């Protein structure tokens, strides 16, 4: 609650002043300190300003100023304590105010890849994703924890190089700092690159915010044997510097203690450095500053000096605000001053200001920093880059890495996958032998165990995939891949940095689409979003492994690699097409940080893998479980089923032969028994076709029939819209009608299964040694067509929602749904038609 919410006649106690600079100083001097009682007297006729009484005198504040003062009312304290049976007195009020005043709101700010999220994770106990490349954090992450009777509310903001409005991240961070007014800004700095990281610190100083600097990765600085007096640098800038090594928790406790100390100090007790520019530039800044303060162009909580500099820098957000008619005089003044300065210095104002900042940093470091003689990780990184980004060896190494990733995912993952299959089969057998027959038993075995277990077995494969992705991220190789691919990406009209969200799509398309925020060019951002669904996410992997194992058992790794490469090829083709038809040819410069190579930390890698595993397991107990039960119910009802005449005739014939088994020899009896078994399976399948899900499938079947898919394959694709893993669980439930599922894996059932069209099965089937032979459900052509459809069609609903959120509406989300599904149908149809000519 803030002071502006207090109504006339009400009183409250001051908790916290969120203003800054001169406003904070003035308001504190007037008696607005923690625990001071304040009463709302009256509001002006237009409700602004508002008159308050404090320390036996009246003072009026504008609503915008009152909004910066947090309060707690006596009624709030009374309601909270009386519910616990405590009588409110002066001591209770004082204790409650002190307790509530110990909440510290902290914003973590820093360059991309400086270790903000690592510090955030270790300090708050969160498990946010980290990686050794820029753009890992693409939205604000929040976490709260208690330390030394203080409540820390941390916000991990996206990485940014400055507080300009060049990229969405920079603007987001700036708006958060100005709008939310955190108590402390924790500026995380990569200690191995002080000069560049301190550029952002100078802008935070201009924002007039309470800042604490975390010198992260301090161990890398010490490795170079440099001489660095961070205490003296802190005194020069008026900001405390605390060495930390985030991934080892070193210095975190000292950092939190410094935050508490800074929070408890009064603003007036700390002197901050002020960056002074050239005389004429300072004159223009002061002139604009005085003018915008006089015209009330900016709000009270925005430092006028900071905004004046942004206007001179031609910051697009600041200039957009100045473009309104009521502030046309501000824009005129800024334009005049820019022209005057450019005529004097014959240079851009942005260059002059940036040079002044870096000169200030260089001067501060000259007094406190001396280079060591030991080679840094950057020197070792340079030697590695000579190999990994080599013009001849770079691409073969990357392709070999991808091959190794798919080989490990399929081959090494097959061993634990088989163990899980045996576990699921054992569980099904246990329920089969101990539970009485009935609908509940059928639901548990054919619905839950078959559906959920059919997807669960692919967990090891998913983990191997994420192990390799985590390796790429943590070592810094991900950024090198973007560097390698820039020229190729440029050929298709995209930025090299677009390749990072595309590679991330191998894990999950949702965070990959969110990661496109790091792209400066809106056209590149949108185009990358539209082609991202072609990157095979981990949810599609179980479907690929299932179908490939059933249809292409002799070349599984090659087929898996081929499917992923086809997805990349389609992304390239569609990007070229869209770039020439939908998007204009606007380009952004290729500016991307190449971080030094770092050895992956086992704890971080396994945390990343566990996070993905937990997400996968949550799907097991959520959407996949629900989908499996729904699919089972739709396939189980209605039960008033009347077999077709041909099947009824076969049943009567087999029944008569069974009745006369005692008069037949052993060989003939075995044939009749096998035939009866197959008739039973036909009955189950016929009942399925007559069920609700069978009717839905046969209703959609005409659309998918040219692709060679029967109704069961069609239904699995429809349910896969919710999540691609549901394709596997749907097939597991639908094929669990066959008794053989209890003893064979799902891919073996698919491998031997024949078409579910009953008339085709009866007319084509023959008995050979007790085995029914017919047209295969998944031959190589149909199997490959199915893989292509799963690769290209409708992204899952979570991806559609992410596209809607990132593009600001349903237009591009619905466009993605229709164009990907249409492309999938055409590709599967082409595979079926062309493949049938050769096979």
């Amino acid at each position: 609650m803030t002071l502006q919410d207090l109504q006339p006649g009400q009183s409250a106690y001051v908790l916290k002043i969120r203003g800054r600079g001169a406003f904070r100083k003035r308001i504190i001097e007037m008696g607005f300190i923690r625990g001071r009682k304040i009463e709302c007297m009256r509001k002006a006729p237009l409700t602004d300003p508002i008159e308050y009484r404090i320390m036996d005198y009246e003072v009026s504040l504008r609503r915008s100023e009152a909004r910066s003062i947090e309060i707690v009312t006596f009624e709030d304290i009374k309601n909270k304590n009386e519910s616990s049976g405590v009588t409110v007195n002066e001591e209770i009020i004082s204790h409650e105010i002190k307790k509530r005043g110990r909440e510290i709101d902290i914003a973590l700010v820093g360059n991309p890849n400086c270790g903000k999220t690592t510090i955030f994770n270790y300090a708050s106990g969160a498990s946010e994703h980290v990686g050794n490349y820029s753009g890992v954090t693409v939205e604000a992450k929040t976490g709260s924890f208690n330390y030394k009777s203080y409540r820390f509310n941390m916000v991990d903001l996206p990485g940014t190089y400055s507080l300009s409005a060049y990229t969405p991240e920079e603007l987001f961070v700036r708006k958060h700092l100005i709008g939310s007014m955190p108590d402390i800004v924790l500026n995380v700095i990569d200690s191995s690159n002080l000069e560049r990281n301190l550029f952002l610190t100078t802008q935070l100083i201009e924002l007039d915010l309470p800042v604490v600097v975390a010198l992260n990765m301090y161990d890398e600085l010490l490795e170079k044997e440099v001489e660095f007096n961070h205490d003296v640098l802190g005194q020069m800038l008026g900001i405390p510097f605390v060495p930390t090594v985030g991934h080892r928790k070193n210095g975190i406790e000292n950092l939190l203690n410094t935050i508490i100390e800074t929070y408890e100090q009064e603003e007036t007790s700390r002197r901050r450095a002020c960056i002074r520019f050239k005389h004429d530039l300072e004159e223009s800044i002061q002139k604009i500053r005085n003018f915008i303060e006089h015209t009330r162009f900016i709000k009270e909580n925005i430092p006028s000096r900071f905004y004046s500099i942004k206007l001179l820098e031609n910051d697009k957000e600041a200039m957009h605000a100045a473009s309104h008619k009521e502030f046309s005089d501000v824009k005129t003044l800024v334009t005049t001053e820019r022209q005057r300065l450019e005529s004097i210095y014959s240079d851009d104002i942005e260059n002059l200001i940036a040079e002044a900042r870096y000169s200030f940093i260089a001067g501060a470091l000259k007094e406190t920093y001396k280079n060591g003689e030991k080679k840094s990780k950057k020197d070792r990184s340079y030697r590695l880059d000579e190999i990994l980004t080599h013009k001849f060896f770079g691409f073969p190494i990357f392709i070999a890495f991808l091959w190794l990733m798919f080989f490990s995912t399929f081959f090494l993952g097959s061993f634990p996958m088989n163990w899980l299959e045996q576990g699921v089969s054992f569980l099904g057998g246990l329920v089969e032998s101990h539970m009485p027959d009935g609908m509940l038993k059928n639901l548990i075995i054919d619905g839950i165990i078959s559906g959920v277990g059919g997807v669960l077995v692919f967990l090891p494969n998913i983990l191997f995939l994420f192990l390799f992705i985590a390796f790429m991220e943590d070592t810094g190789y991900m950024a090198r891949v973007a560097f390698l691919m820039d020229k190729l990406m440029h050929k298709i009209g995209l930025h090299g940095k677009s390749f990072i969200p595309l590679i991330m799509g191998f894990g999950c398309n949702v965070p990959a689409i969110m990661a496109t925020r790091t792209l400066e060019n809106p056209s590149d951002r949108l185009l990358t979003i539209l082609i991202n669904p072609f990157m095979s996410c981990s949810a599609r992997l179980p479907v690929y492994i299932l179908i490939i194992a059933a249809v292409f058992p002799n070349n599984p790794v090659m087929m898996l690699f081929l499917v992923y490469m086809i997805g990349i090829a389609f992304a390239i083709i569609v990007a070229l097409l869209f770039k020439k038809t939908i998007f204009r040819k606007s380009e952004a410069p290729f500016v991307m940080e190449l971080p030094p190579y770092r050895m992956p930390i086992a704890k971080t890698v396994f945390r990343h893998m566990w996070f993905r595993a937990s997400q996968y397991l949550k799907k097991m107990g959520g959407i996949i479980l629900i989908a499996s039960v729904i699919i089972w119910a739709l396939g189980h009802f209605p039960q008033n089923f009347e077999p077709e005449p041909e099947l009824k005739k076969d049943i009567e014939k087999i029944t008569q032969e069974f009745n006369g088994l005692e008069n037949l020899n052993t060989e003939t009896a075995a044939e009749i028994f096998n035939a009866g078994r197959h008739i039973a399976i036909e009955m189950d399948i016929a009942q399925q076709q007559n069920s609700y899900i069978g009717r839905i499938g046969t209703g959609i079947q005409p659309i998918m029939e040219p692709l060679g898919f029967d109704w069961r394959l069609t239904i699995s694709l429809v349910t896969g819209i919710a999540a691609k893993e549901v394709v596997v669980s749907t097939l597991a439930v639908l094929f669990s009608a066959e008794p053989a599922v209890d003893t064979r894996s799902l891919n073996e059932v698919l491998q031997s299964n024949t078409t579910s069209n009953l008339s085709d099965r009866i007319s084509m089937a023959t008995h050979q040694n007790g085995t029914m032979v017919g047209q295969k459900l998944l031959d190589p052509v149909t199997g490959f067509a199915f893989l292509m459809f799963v690769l290209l069609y409708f992204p899952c609903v979570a991806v559609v929602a992410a596209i809607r959120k990132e593009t600001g509406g349903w237009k591009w989300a619905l466009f993605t749904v229709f164009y990907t599904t249409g492309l999938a149908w055409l590709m599967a149809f082409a595979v079926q038609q062309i493949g049938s000519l050769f096979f």
Side-chain angles (χ1 to χ4, degrees):
M1 185 175 182
T2 63
L3 190 56
Q4 72 157 349
D5 301 317
L6 203 63
Q7 299 302 316
Q10 288 185 322
S11 60
Y13 301 91
V14 177
L15 283 180
K16 187 185 294 184
I17 310 296
R18 285 195 177 273
R20 54 172 65 90
F23 167 74
R24 178 182 172 90
K25 181 179 178 181
R26 185 177 77 247
I27 212 77
I28 289 174
E29 289 172 347
M30 294 175 71
F32 286 81
I33 57 176
R34 187 186 305 164
R36 182 67 64 180
K37 189 174 180 179
I38 184 168
E39 182 182 358
C40 181
M41 303 302 293
R42 65 185 61 84
K43 296 183 180 180
L46 298 178
T47 73
D48 202 8
I50 307 172
E51 183 181 327
Y52 300 96
R53 185 176 183 83
I54 186 170
M55 296 176 66
D56 293 327
Y57 77 94
E58 280 74 33
V59 60
S60 64
L61 298 175
R62 295 193 204 97
R63 296 179 70 89
S64 59
E65 295 169 333
R67 195 182 300 125
S68 303
I69 302 171
E70 283 192 19
I71 59 170
V72 58
T73 63
F74 176 79
E75 287 75 17
D76 287 342
I77 299 173
K78 183 179 177 182
N79 293 337
K80 180 180 178 182
N81 287 276
E82 284 190 346
S83 62
S84 307
V86 178
T87 303
V88 178
N89 53 34
E90 290 294 330
E91 186 180 347
I92 294 295
I93 292 172
S94 177
H95 174 75
E96 190 66 28
I97 290 171
K98 188 176 181 181
K99 179 182 174 183
R100 295 198 186 195
R102 290 193 165 197
E103 277 200 22
I104 308 176
D105 296 330
I106 303 164
L108 273 77
V109 180
N111 284 191
N113 198 44
C114 67
K116 287 187 295 81
T117 305
T118 302
I119 289 179
F120 174 78
N121 285 341
Y122 281 117
S124 66
S127 56
E128 295 298 338
H129 175 51
V130 297
N132 185 21
Y133 62 99
S134 62
V136 180
T137 304
V138 290
E139 61 181 5
K141 308 288 195 314
T142 59
S144 297
F145 62 97
N146 296 316
Y147 177 78
K148 287 189 175 180
S149 75
Y150 284 84
R151 180 73 174 171
F152 286 74
N153 302 316
M154 276 193 172
V155 179
D156 180 21
L157 297 171
T160 176
Y161 293 105
S162 74
L163 297 179
S164 301
Y166 183 55
T167 67
E169 287 74 33
E170 293 174 349
L171 188 57
F172 178 85
V173 171
R174 187 168 91 189
K175 285 184 174 180
H176 179 88
L177 294 177
I178 292 173
S180 67
M181 291 184 290
D183 298 315
I184 298 290
V185 174
L186 179 54
N187 180 204
V188 183
I189 282 179
D190 178 0
S191 298
S192 64
N193 201 334
L194 284 171
E195 191 168 6
R196 194 204 65 211
N197 280 249
L198 285 169
F199 185 84
L200 176 61
T201 310
T202 61
Q203 293 184 313
L204 294 175
I205 290 172
E206 287 167 356
L207 263 183
D208 200 14
L209 289 163
V211 178
V212 174
V213 173
L215 288 166
N216 201 31
M217 307 177 193
Y218 201 70
D219 54 336
E220 295 185 12
L221 187 71
L222 295 177
E223 281 181 10
K224 295 191 288 185
E225 299 178 354
V226 302
E227 294 179 20
F228 178 45
N229 194 328
H230 58 81
D231 290 326
V232 173
L233 181 62
Q235 291 169 10
M236 291 172 65
L237 300 184
I239 296 172
F241 281 72
V242 183
T244 60
V245 183
H247 65 271
R248 293 177 184 161
K249 289 189 178 180
N250 294 349
I252 300 297
E253 190 172 335
N254 189 24
L255 180 64
L256 298 179
N257 290 334
T258 305
I259 289 172
I260 293 172
E261 181 186 339
T262 305
Y263 174 69
E264 291 296 343
Q265 286 178 343
E266 296 291 350
E267 175 113 348
T268 53
S269 66
R270 181 171 291 277
R271 179 193 63 80
R272 285 194 181 84
C274 182
I275 301 168
R276 293 297 172 186
F277 302 102
K278 293 181 179 180
H279 174 72
D280 294 292
L281 189 52
E282 276 292 336
E283 189 179 300
S284 293
I285 292 171
Q286 192 59 42
K287 189 182 295 185
I288 295 170
R289 183 179 181 181
N290 293 337
F291 190 77
I292 62 178
E293 285 177 355
H294 176 72
T295 57
R296 302 199 183 282
F297 172 65
I298 56 172
K299 295 179 181 178
E300 182 73 32
N301 62 329
I302 301 177
S304 55
R305 179 177 174 84
F306 172 82
Y307 219 85
S308 300
I309 294 171
K310 288 301 164 195
L311 285 167
L312 274 177
E313 287 180 319
N314 204 28
D315 180 274
K316 63 181 180 182
E317 188 73 11
M319 291 304 292
H320 176 72
S323 297
H324 293 290
K325 287 183 180 178
E326 90 183 273
F327 299 119
S328 58
D329 290 343
V330 174
K331 187 174 182 180
T332 302
L333 174 63
V334 171
T335 304
T336 302
E337 291 301 314
R338 279 180 61 87
Q339 291 172 351
R340 183 180 75 87
L341 291 170
E342 286 174 356
S343 65
I344 294 172
Y345 294 105
S346 301
D347 198 357
D348 290 336
I349 307 301
E350 294 91 326
N351 290 342
L352 293 173
I353 293 173
E355 284 175 7
R357 293 191 201 281
Y358 277 118
S359 296
F360 174 82
I361 294 166
L365 290 178
K366 187 177 181 180
E367 301 292 325
T368 57
Y369 182 91
K370 185 178 179 182
N371 279 317
E373 298 186 8
K374 190 173 180 180
K375 289 187 176 181
S376 67
K377 284 189 177 181
K378 293 187 177 179
D379 298 313
R380 296 194 290 272
S381 295
Y382 179 78
R383 291 196 296 271
L384 276 171
D385 278 339
E386 286 184 325
I387 301 171
L388 296 179
T389 61
H390 192 273
K391 63 179 180 179
F392 296 128
F393 304 138
F395 284 104
I397 290 172
F398 176 54
I399 293 170
F401 179 84
L402 289 180
W403 176 267
L404 179 63
M405 180 173 75
F406 297 129
F407 174 80
S408 301
T409 299
F410 205 103
F411 180 73
L412 297 181
S414 65
F415 297 105
M417 177 183 168
N418 290 335
W419 302 335
L420 281 175
E421 280 181 345
Q422 292 169 14
V424 170
S425 180
F426 173 77
L427 182 61
L430 204 64
V431 175
E432 176 71 36
S433 58
H434 288 82
M435 224 180 145
D437 291 338
M439 190 178 296
L440 180 60
K441 177 181 178 179
N442 191 283
L443 168 63
I444 292 173
I445 295 175
D446 295 341
I448 296 174
I449 294 178
S450 293
V452 176
V455 181
L456 179 63
V457 298
F458 296 101
L459 178 60
N461 308 91
I462 300 291
L463 291 180
F464 272 105
L465 177 68
F466 277 108
L467 174 65
F468 277 85
I469 292 176
F471 178 83
M472 288 179 70
E473 292 177 341
D474 291 355
T475 57
Y477 186 51
M478 182 81 85
R480 270 68 185 184
V481 171
F483 174 79
L484 274 173
M485 297 299 295
D486 179 63
K487 189 168 184 178
L488 291 178
M489 297 297 284
H490 186 75
K491 294 287 185 185
I492 65 172
L494 279 175
H495 196 286
K497 285 168 69 174
S498 295
F499 200 69
I500 291 180
L502 294 179
I503 285 288
M504 288 175 66
F506 285 162
C508 180
N509 292 134
V510 174
I513 286 169
M514 293 169 65
T516 59
R517 296 177 192 174
T518 59
L519 303 175
E520 293 84 4
N521 190 318
S523 176
D524 286 348
R525 196 178 310 135
L526 181 56
L527 183 52
T528 306
I529 287 172
L530 293 180
I531 65 173
N532 202 283
F534 294 130
M535 310 307 288
S536 296
C537 64
S538 60
R540 291 186 177 101
L541 185 62
V543 187
Y544 296 160
I545 292 175
L546 174 67
I547 302 301
I548 288 171
V551 184
F552 306 101
N554 298 325
N555 300 290
V557 178
M558 174 64 78
M559 289 306 302
L560 186 63
F561 184 76
L562 179 62
V563 170
Y564 274 80
M565 290 303 105
I566 289 174
I568 294 173
F570 265 97
I572 292 171
I573 293 167
V574 171
L576 281 169
L577 182 64
F578 283 174
K579 199 67 179 179
K580 291 186 177 182
T581 55
I582 300 176
F583 301 101
R584 61 180 183 272
K585 297 180 179 180
S586 56
E587 297 181 359
F590 181 74
V591 180
M592 187 184 70
E593 180 185 0
L594 292 178
Y597 289 100
R598 293 189 173 97
M599 186 64 68
I601 301 164
K603 186 175 181 179
T604 304
V605 171
F606 285 116
R607 175 186 281 182
H608 184 199
M609 289 175 63
W610 167 244
F611 174 74
R612 293 303 178 185
S614 65
Q615 294 293 102
Y616 195 72
L617 292 172
K618 283 177 185 175
K619 280 189 178 182
M620 301 296 105
I623 188 171
I624 291 171
L625 175 60
I626 295 169
S628 299
V629 172
I630 293 172
I631 296 297
W632 174 86
L634 291 174
H636 198 73
F637 298 101
Q639 295 189 325
N640 54 341
F641 162 63
E642 185 67 26
E644 293 184 12
E646 292 182 47
L647 181 57
K648 189 183 287 188
K649 193 185 297 181
D650 281 357
I651 292 170
E652 291 172 359
K653 180 182 175 183
I654 293 296
T655 304
Q656 291 173 2
E657 291 177 345
F658 264 114
N659 292 336
L661 272 177
E662 63 274 4
N663 300 321
L664 299 173
N665 58 43
T666 307
E667 185 178 342
T668 306
E671 289 180 4
I672 295 172
F673 178 81
N674 282 320
R677 176 175 172 274
H678 284 293
I679 289 294
I681 293 173
E682 298 294 345
M683 279 287 291
D684 284 332
I685 293 174
Q687 191 278 327
Q688 263 193 347
Q689 278 193 284
N690 186 64
S691 67
Y692 293 123
I693 198 165
R695 294 173 190 178
I696 295 170
T698 51
I700 306 172
Q701 183 60 18
I703 301 172
M704 309 302 281
E705 195 170 3
L707 312 183
F709 305 159
D710 84 332
W711 71 269
R712 290 175 293 187
L713 295 177
T714 299
I715 281 293
S716 72
L717 292 170
V718 173
T719 57
I721 290 171
K724 292 298 177 280
E725 299 98 334
V726 179
V727 173
V728 175
S729 63
T730 302
L731 293 174
V733 172
L734 292 177
F735 284 99
S736 66
E738 300 195 19
V741 174
D742 292 335
T743 57
R744 292 184 296 169
S745 63
L746 180 56
N747 66 337
E748 291 174 321
V749 174
L750 289 174
Q751 195 172 26
S752 60
N753 215 279
T754 54
T755 176
S756 66
N757 186 299
L758 191 59
S759 58
D760 289 347
R761 288 167 68 95
I762 292 173
S763 62
M764 295 190 310
T766 59
H767 296 287
Q768 295 179 356
N769 299 323
T771 303
M772 182 168 277
V773 179
Q775 182 182 355
K776 271 198 168 187
L777 176 69
L778 282 173
D779 57 24
V781 175
T782 305
F784 192 67
F786 190 78
L787 287 172
M788 291 299 98
F789 200 93
V790 171
L791 167 67
L792 302 174
Y793 90 116
F794 196 125
C796 69
V797 289
V799 174
V800 175
I803 295 173
R804 186 201 68 80
K805 181 181 177 183
E806 294 303 311
T807 59
W810 283 105
K811 174 185 172 184
W812 293 109
L814 294 176
F815 175 75
T816 304
V817 166
F818 287 111
Y819 101 81
T820 55
T821 306
L823 191 60
W825 194 95
L826 291 172
M827 180 62 181
F829 179 75
V831 169
Q832 188 65 242
Q833 297 303 310
I834 296 170
S836 61
L837 297 176
F838 297 97
F839 298 96

